[in-house]
Structures are given as C-alpha cells and as structure tokens.
Amino acid sequence: MAQPKAFLFDLDGVIVDTAHFHYQAWRRLANEKLGFDISEEFNESLKGVSRTESLDRILAHGNVTLSPAEKENLATLKNDWYVELINKMTPDDILPGINAFLEKTRLAGIKIGLGSVSKNAKPILERIGILSAFDAIIDGTKITKGKPDPEVFLKGAEELGASPDECVVFEDAVAGIEAGRRAGMKTVGIGQPDILTEADVVLANLNNMTIEDLRKALHF
Ligand code: BG6
Ligand code: MG
C-alpha cells in the first residue's frame, strides 16, 4: 500500500484554538470601529483567509468603503488586539490529541509541515513550545497568495521533498480544504461535516487518531 510521505497542518483552528481569537479581534474591530456586528456563521468565510482579504470581506459585508491608508490602520489595530490575546497562550492551549498525533506521525517516518497564511505562526509555535516538531514551516511571510490558493501547501510539499499525492492536509477552514484539494492532496477536515463538505474525511479533532486508521479512511 502507498505510504503518505508528508502531513501538512494548518495552524489556527487545527493545532491551537486561535481561530476563536481571530474572530474575537475582528468582531471587536467591526463593533468598535465600523459600527456593525459579524456573526460566527460569517466568520467561517474568514477562516484561512489572509489578514487583508479578511478585512476586505468584512468591509464588503458591512457595505463600508475605506481608503488604503484607513484599511492599513484597521488591519494593524486588529493584529495588535490579536497579538494581545495570543501573548497569553501557553503549551496548555495546544488542542487535544495534537502532541500525541505529531509524535505518532514522526514515529511513522512521515514528515511534518506547517501550512498557514498567518504572519504570527512562528511566534505562536514558539510560545506553545512545538516549533521543533516541524520539518518545514510555510507561513504568511513565505507566500504571496492566501488560501484557497494552493501555494502554501505546494511550497510545503516541495520543502519536504514529497509530491502532492503523497501529502495529507489537515484543515479547519473551507478555504483551506479547497487549497489542499487544488494542490492535489488528500484533505482531513477538523470540525463539522456540514461545513467542511469538500474534505475527504472530517473529524471533530485528532484525539486518539492513529496513522493506520487515517490511512484506511483516506484510502492510502
Ligand atoms: C489564518 C487564519 O490562519 O491566518 C485567518 O485562519 C487569518 O483567520 C490568517 O486571517 C492571517 O493571519 P495573521 O495572523 O497574519 O493576521
Ligand atoms: Mg485554520
């Protein structure tokens, strides 16, 4: 049976629950600076999307038009609020089952990559103490196109010396699953099956998941 050669993990919402912090910071910005609210349902369309694209989507949602300079200021303010939230994180914030699953992956001889469009990815991994678990880190500083563009995952595969059909992408975002599929990789959705409808497999989390069960589920 073919062996998967590399696992590519999204960060926000897969390794740590920072997806919630992004929502909190964007919601505060919408409430305090733009005069409208954003729902959790609308927030699904922001997951996996870059900072500037997220702001554009929020402004379009509220029918607000701003100059490039005003947009830049708001994006910076959102990031300042977001950084305040992530600065309080500790290793206890790693999502259930992640440490054990990364260890099983390593023992199975499968390479571990990060595929995140966040520019805060490295400081977060350092803060929660798992930077060294990754053989390659592709983050917002290394890419020019956010998800759903496949660039982030294709770069990850390249750095890990794997072809796309030897890679598995782990994602909590609709845009991220699309990026993985467009890269020609198998996709594992972490979240709800009714939201992540395009994923090959959807799991609530990686708690107790084995490499063997995953291989079977993905028909590797
Ligand atoms: C993604 C998040 O991982 O990173 C998005 O899912 C976020 O919500 C994007 O907008 C960019 O992150 P940052 O930290 O560079 O603003
Ligand atoms: Mg995510």
Side-chain angles (χ1 to χ4, degrees):
M1 202 189 269
Q3 277 286 352
K5 207 167 166 184
F7 284 178
L8 296 166
F9 295 86
D10 171 48
L11 175 68
D12 297 316
V14 171
I15 307 255
V16 277
D17 196 15
T18 39
H20 181 70
F21 291 156
H22 278 295
Y23 175 47
Q24 233 177 291
W26 282 129
R27 192 171 186 207
R28 183 175 172 193
L29 195 83
N31 288 176
E32 292 183 19
K33 300 289 167 187
L34 300 168
F36 60 91
D37 199 14
I38 52 173
S39 68
E40 241 173 294
E41 194 193 354
F42 171 74
N43 184 58
E44 285 302 325
S45 69
L46 303 181
K47 286 185 180 173
V49 172
S50 74
R51 200 180 305 167
T52 47
E53 172 67 20
S54 296
L55 180 58
D56 282 341
R57 289 187 186 192
I58 291 167
L59 294 175
H61 187 63
N63 285 318
V64 176
T65 310
L66 295 177
S67 71
E70 285 169 319
K71 288 205 275 186
E72 178 81 35
N73 286 341
L74 288 186
T76 302
L77 184 59
K78 180 268 174 180
N79 193 56
D80 290 345
W81 287 339
Y82 177 68
V83 168
E84 266 173 35
L85 294 169
I86 60 175
N87 277 345
K88 293 183 196 133
M89 290 172 75
T90 72
D92 289 342
D93 288 299
I94 299 174
L95 284 168
I98 289 296
N99 278 323
F101 189 74
L102 290 177
E103 181 63 5
K104 287 177 208 163
T105 304
R106 197 184 62 77
L107 289 173
I110 297 167
K111 296 273 188 211
I112 299 174
L114 189 89
S116 169
V117 305
S118 171
K119 292 184 171 141
N120 293 296
K122 265 200 180 166
I124 291 174
L125 291 178
E126 264 167 14
R127 177 148 265 288
I128 59 174
I130 58 168
L131 185 66
S132 62
F134 292 85
D135 300 302
I137 292 177
I138 313 299
D139 63 14
T141 66
K142 287 195 182 172
I143 52 162
T144 55
K145 287 166 263 169
K147 299 164 187 175
D149 191 280
E151 182 186 13
V152 65
F153 293 129
L154 290 172
K155 280 208 164 148
E158 198 186 327
E159 268 199 36
L160 294 171
S163 58
D165 62 351
E166 295 170 321
C167 295
V168 179
V169 162
F170 296 80
E171 259 294 347
D172 70 316
V174 173
I177 295 292
E178 188 185 331
R181 289 179 68 91
R182 281 169 60 184
M185 300 174 182
K186 302 218 185 205
T187 56
V188 176
I190 305 294
Q192 297 173 30
D194 56 328
I195 292 175
L196 304 171
T197 53
E198 298 303 308
D200 293 309
V201 176
V202 180
L203 305 170
N205 55 54
L206 288 170
N207 224 356
N208 297 321
M209 183 41 82
T210 67
I211 306 295
E212 204 40 48
D213 283 349
L214 198 69
R215 273 183 55 185
K216 281 189 197 136
L218 291 170
H219 307 293
F220 250 111

